[in-house]
């Protein structure tokens, strides 16, 4: 199985901050990576696919980058609605695997 | 508009078999590439992918759970059924069904259903 490791596990930030979350794969996954946002009690919501493609309807302050084993999700200016937990997921090979999540908290 | 909804028991006893049904609308298995998968999330923990079934009946399972899982298309053409045998308290989780294309990312999720395993 491909292991996905996110850092940090928790991130404290203020509205307006630029924040970056990192996801590392245990082996190369090319660009087959997605990012999801999850709020408490809700299903995850797709933000980014193929490492850097923005899902329709997702605000442009979200962006993704990387390839191979190192990836990042950046929120250019954190908004109140962005406080949530974020997960990366590789779909290069089965079994699909998720990172452990990064919780973005209010500072 | 694509929607999915999970249904099944909220409580199962240890050793029992869990049967969950995903009812969906807005897409069909007649479309090449369409898949419906299952993902679970124990309380306060991360997401775990379980299984997926595609338009052509190709099925993929998590190796760690493969011996306990069966995914099938339901008797209704807009349903997918997941069976998980020999349930244990560690299987307590919210179970989500989701739409995917054969690419592999998940673009639509059901609301999830919490399943508790307890005697």
């Amino acid at each position: 199985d491909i292991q996905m490791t996110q850092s940090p596990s928790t991130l404290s930030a203020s509205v307006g901050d630029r924040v970056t979350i990192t996801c590392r794969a245990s082996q190369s996954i090319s660009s087959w990576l997605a990012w999801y946002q999850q709020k408490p009690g809700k299903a995850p919501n797709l933000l980014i696919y193929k490492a850097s493609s923005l899902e329709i309807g997702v605000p442009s302050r979200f962006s993704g980058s990387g390839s191979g084993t190192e990836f990042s999700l950046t929120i250019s200016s954190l908004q109140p609605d962005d406080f949530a937990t974020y997960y990366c997921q590789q779909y290069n090979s089965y079994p699909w695997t998720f990172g452990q999540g990064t919780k973005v908290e209010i500072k | 508009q694509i929607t999915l909804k999970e249904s099944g028991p909220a409580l199962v006893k240890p050793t029992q078999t869990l049967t969950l049904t995903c009812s969906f609308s807005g897409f069909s298995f007649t479309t090449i590439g369409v898949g419906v998968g299952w993902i679970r999330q124990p309380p306060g923990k991360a997401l775990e992918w379980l299984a997926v079934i595609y338009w052509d009946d190709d099925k993929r399972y998590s190796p760690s759970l493969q011996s306990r899982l069966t995914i099938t298309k339901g008797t209704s053409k807009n349903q997918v059924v997941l069976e998980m045998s020999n349930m244990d308290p560690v299987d307590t989780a919210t179970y989500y069904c989701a739409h995917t294309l054969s690419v592999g990312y998940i673009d639509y999720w059901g609301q999830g259903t919490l399943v508790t395993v307890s005697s």
Side-chain angles (χ1 to χ4, degrees):
Chain A
D1 299 7
I2 297 175
Q3 301 268 48
M4 305 301 293
T5 304
Q6 289 181 233
S7 61
S9 296
T10 306
L11 188 160
S12 296
S14 301
V15 172
D17 284 353
R18 180 184 180 88
V19 301
T20 298
I21 299 166
T22 298
C23 179
R24 178 174 296 165
S26 60
Q27 63 189 75
S28 178
I29 58 170
S30 185
S31 295
W32 304 119
L33 183 101
W35 289 98
Y36 304 90
Q37 177 193 69
Q38 186 179 34
K39 296 182 179 178
K42 300 293 187 182
N45 181 51
L46 177 67
L47 300 175
I48 302 281
Y49 60 94
K50 206 175 178 185
S52 61
S53 296
L54 193 68
E55 174 69 349
I56 295 171
V58 174
S60 58
R61 62 180 179 273
F62 291 93
S63 64
S65 65
S67 66
T69 61
E70 298 280 340
F71 301 87
S72 62
L73 173 71
T74 298
I75 309 172
S76 60
S77 177
L78 199 64
Q79 298 302 300
D81 192 47
D82 302 338
F83 292 97
T85 300
Y86 294 84
Y87 293 94
C88 61
Q89 176 227 340
Q90 69 81 19
Y91 50 97
N92 177 77
S93 61
Y94 297 102
W96 298 341
T97 47
F98 292 87
Q100 82 280 14
T102 295
K103 186 175 183 180
V104 177
E105 297 181 328
I106 300 173
K107 191 172 187 179
Chain B
Q1 179 191 1
I2 290 177
T3 63
L4 305 99
K5 188 172 184 178
E6 307 85 354
S7 59
L11 179 66
V12 298
K13 290 179 166 47
T15 75
Q16 286 186 335
T17 294
L18 171 68
T19 300
L20 293 173
T21 300
C22 176
S23 301
F24 59 84
S25 63
F27 67 95
S28 77
F29 278 121
T30 60
T31 301
I32 293 174
V34 161
V36 173
W38 289 90
I39 302 96
R40 71 178 179 179
Q41 185 172 39
K45 296 189 177 181
L47 300 161
E48 179 185 18
W49 175 75
L50 301 177
V52 64
I53 186 167
Y54 291 104
W55 88 102
D56 59 355
D57 216 39
D58 184 26
K59 303 168 187 176
R60 306 292 177 133
Y61 295 97
S62 169
S64 63
L65 293 167
Q66 183 165 6
S67 63
R68 299 174 53 205
L69 293 174
T70 304
I71 190 169
T72 57
K73 295 174 185 174
T75 51
S76 163
K77 60 182 177 180
N78 290 338
Q79 289 186 333
V80 168
V81 176
L82 181 76
E83 292 183 335
M84 180 179 290
S85 64
N86 195 24
M87 293 292 283
D88 183 272
V90 300
D91 297 313
T92 293
T94 295
Y95 287 76
Y96 296 100
C97 69
H99 171 274
T100 184
L101 297 173
S102 50
V103 205
Y105 59 86
I106 297 161
D107 50 2
Y108 295 92
W109 298 68
Q111 64 189 25
T113 186
L114 176 61
V115 178
T116 301
V117 185
S118 174
S119 54

